[in-house]
Amino acid sequence: MDYVPHDLETIRIMLEKIGVENLDDLYVDIPNNLKIKQLNLPEGLSESDLLKNLTELSEKNHIYNTSFLGAGSYYHYIPSLVDSIISQSQFFTAYTPYQAEISQGMLQSIYEYQSAISRLTEMDITNASMYDCASALAEAATMAFFVTKKKKILLIEGIHPEYIETVQTYCWGRSIETETIPLDELDNKLTDEIAGVLIQSPNFFGDIEDISQVAKKIRSKTKKCLLIQAMSDPTCLGKLNPPGKNDVDIFVAEGVGMHPSFGGPNLGILSVKKKYMRKMPGRLIGLTKELHGEKEGYVLTLQAREQHIRREKALSNICSNQALIMIASLVYLVSLGKTGLKNVAMQNFQKANHVKQALSQISGYKVLNTKPTYNEFIVKCPNINKLIKKCKDDNILPPLKLSHYFPDRKDEILICVTEMNSKEDINKFLQIAKEAAQ
Amino acid sequence: MTRKQLIFEKGYNALINNFTPEMDIKSIDFDTILPKSLQRNEEINLPDVPEFEIVRHYVNLAHKNYGVDSGIYPLGSCTMKYNPRINEVTARLSGFLKIHPLQEENDGAIELIYNLGQQLCEICGMDAFTLNPAAGAQGELTGILIIKKYFEIKGIKKDKIIVPDSAHGTNPATSAMAGFSIIEIKSDENGELPLDQLEFAMKGGDVAGLMLTNPNTVGVFDRNIDKITEIVHKYGGLCYYDGANLNPIMGIAKPGEMGFDIIHLNLHKTFSTPHGGGGPGAGPVGVKKDLINYLPCPQVIKNERGLACVENEGESIGRIRSFWGNFGVLVKAYTYILALGKNGIKNAAQNSVLNANYIRTQIKHKFTIPYDRINMHEFLVDANLPNGVNSEDVAKALLDRGIHAPTIYFPLIIHEAMLIEPTETENKRELDKFIEAMLEIYEEAEKNPEYLKKGPYNTEIGRLDATLAARKPCLRD
């Protein structure tokens, strides 16, 4: 099955019009020694066989009844209309909206996304999305370099380990120095040579940092240094003080409204203060007017920042982003609305903190967070392997063993509790924890 | 109001929808969970909109958008082929859609990543692939960082990358992201890379590599390709293949056998995964044996015990994003390759070339074709029409006829560039409709140019003022 519509007769007619005899004649420019005989791949499959094949493969992955795993990818309830809307074929089969007059649907959706995220975060400007939070954070670090012309970035401990590694990769590319430090050393490390401070809150371990205090520190000790906040699960903004109220210069986060899908696709949110608008990477959509009429409409704008115009002087090479996921995030946000977003955030706070309190009362377990937490927290366990095994036996996706990222932290777990965990799930998990301690 | 209503204007001030599970545990006093100073004080400025109104709002917006499903989408260098519906089904199988990237019971996902990597190796003639990059541009960055790492580990200082003047803008932008400066080489009158200039540039000794698209962005296959890669290798450089245009040669020739060391692909072009209005895509990167150690982490490898996931073992360029890339997109591309099989892949390639050349030969008596020989899957028109009608005017006139315009003003080497790529999935009727429209527009340019300069007229909205948008940016509501 190759989705080619022509029959042999049509091909013959077309070849005749071109003036060649057969399809192979179309490849006169390729040197013969480079032409291959045949690919070493199987024959094509019918759609029914494809579905069978892929279904069998998908079933080799286990789907759990419930999950206490987060660490950068979260299970939230996604309203059914989200998938229905991103399945509208004129959205998902379109390209980047270069021809504005026949792309107003996508363009207006992006404009609404830019608006919705800016409203949620209270930041001035949001772009049309980045690939994910990790690469968005890396691009934010690069942006700090472009804004300040300084070549050193400070990363505060507690940023997701995969984000840190991504930032390091991008910064190595541009020869920007990075240093990871604990928050309490920030005072000593802040100098006028620092381009930006990267901090995650709630951080990888669940801690909610007082970002406004960090901002004050940075402003008092440096002239130009940018404050960049990352966030893995922005559903917390339903109850948490938004970055725009904390003097954050650049905010990045993972998107909302998507299933985990083994880690992607999701999207990277990137929002900035207005003064950095012309230094931000990625697509931006703006409102404008007809040249020969009065109607208002949307176009790709401020393209002078981008690679197809600036080439090697561009801030980034990003072009395709995560547009369809952007629609999913937008529809998720408007479906829940201000009331629903508040409810989701509240439930995550309540349920996770309930489990946190309950676990701390089971002998052998010790909650290690000293700061407030959202839907994740870390716990020292009496018998981590028993706990993990028992969870799996009960069809529960267990919390993350911290040793996955930090080999020394062998008996600690990172637990995630969301609105998807019912009272029964929670009680079951607490019961397992109790049994595993014995 | 002269613009359409935004979703924010369709809301109410109370909860109407009910999506979230019931709160079934006893609440703790919120101030003890989160101090007041860290709480959000003001309501989120988003309305509560009833579900049905949201659906209607976005379905109406979707109807104002042109997709491949609406008609021919001949956007050069973008390969807008049909997006098979089975791909959408397989990517949504719950065993793929609902699995967590950090769960250990992931055999199916790991097997899919490995198998797809192997298929791409076979199609491209490479030895290993990473599927982590989220888009073509991120694939390019990965590839260029691999070049950087290769020379860094060898302790050789080389800080320049050669790109032809017909290159995608991402090539120079990417090179800069890895700290390389650019040597741009002007294409010759055949649209090919002049060997003497390439050799001259390489002789400088500071060139790390060449980035090349082949067939290139003027739509022709560079006949000197094996000589080109030989010259680059002679001076110790690496050859990077920009796979944006792989579609016409898959199953016919392999970039690896042309002498390329690194390649990135765009699964959302060649391998039928939808563009989604600008993503998500996927930009896998393939390398030859000597470069495998530099691939980004994590990777799936096969050893004596079966498949295994490996993290950074020292020489990797590191991580370029979180987890395993745009996995859902990988499922779609894998489904597509299985559907086509060895013969289907070749057939798709051949028919993409057939369709492009068919259009070229049917409009060349009117339109200027700067590189008028058998092209590959796309061809370039210099749309400098009579009476000053330009490429943009032609594009808008196509929109008026219900047809998506080709890529315009790219590549930069032709002033009124119009790059036409119909893809193999368009039928002859649709191609003929496009040809007819182009010829009609040409005639109109002769008779009534002023009309064309102010179009389009039949679209949702008229030609928009891009200058105003940039001068007074209004980027949100």
Side-chain angles (χ1 to χ4, degrees), chain B residues 379-398:
Chain B
F379 68 99
L380 188 59
V381 169
D382 186 355
N384 197 350
L385 269 59
N387 302 315
V389 169
N390 64 21
S391 193
E392 188 173 16
D393 301 331
V394 177
K396 302 307 177 193
L398 283 167

Side-chain angles (χ1 to χ4, degrees), chain B residues 210-262:
Chain B
L210 163 73
M211 286 183 101
L212 198 69
T213 310
N214 192 31
N216 60 24
T217 62
V218 306
V220 299
F221 188 90
D222 201 312
R223 291 165 289 198
N224 299 316
I225 191 61
D226 40 2
K227 295 187 195 78
I228 289 171
T229 55
E230 198 184 306
I231 291 170
V232 175
H233 287 151
K234 188 166 90 185
Y235 294 96
L238 293 172
C239 296
Y240 182 97
Y241 183 92
D242 178 328
N245 290 351
L246 182 76
N247 201 45
I249 64 159
M250 56 177 185
I252 308 285
K254 299 181 180 184
E257 293 178 5
M258 297 172 200
F260 285 97
D261 305 289
I262 306 171

Side-chain angles (χ1 to χ4, degrees), chain A residues 207 367-373:
Chain A
D207 288 342
V367 174
L368 300 176
N369 304 76
T370 52
K371 293 175 181 170
T373 58

Side-chain angles (χ1 to χ4, degrees), chain B residues 146-210:
Chain B
I146 288 171
I147 294 179
K148 185 184 174 86
K149 196 75 174 184
Y150 172 83
F151 287 110
E152 207 174 89
I153 286 190
K154 280 189 170 328
I156 301 171
K157 188 173 155 38
K158 287 184 189 281
D159 57 5
K160 293 196 172 62
I161 295 280
I162 298 175
V163 296
D165 59 357
S166 60
H168 295 109
T170 46
N171 293 176
T174 305
S175 301
M177 287 174 83
F180 291 107
S181 57
I182 300 299
I183 301 176
E184 193 174 275
I185 294 184
K186 199 167 159 3
S187 309
D188 67 16
E189 67 280 8
N190 298 316
E192 293 167 307
L193 195 66
L195 297 179
D196 54 340
Q197 289 193 39
L198 174 65
E199 179 129 19
F200 178 77
M202 288 305 303
K203 270 185 184 157
D206 52 0
V207 176
L210 163 73

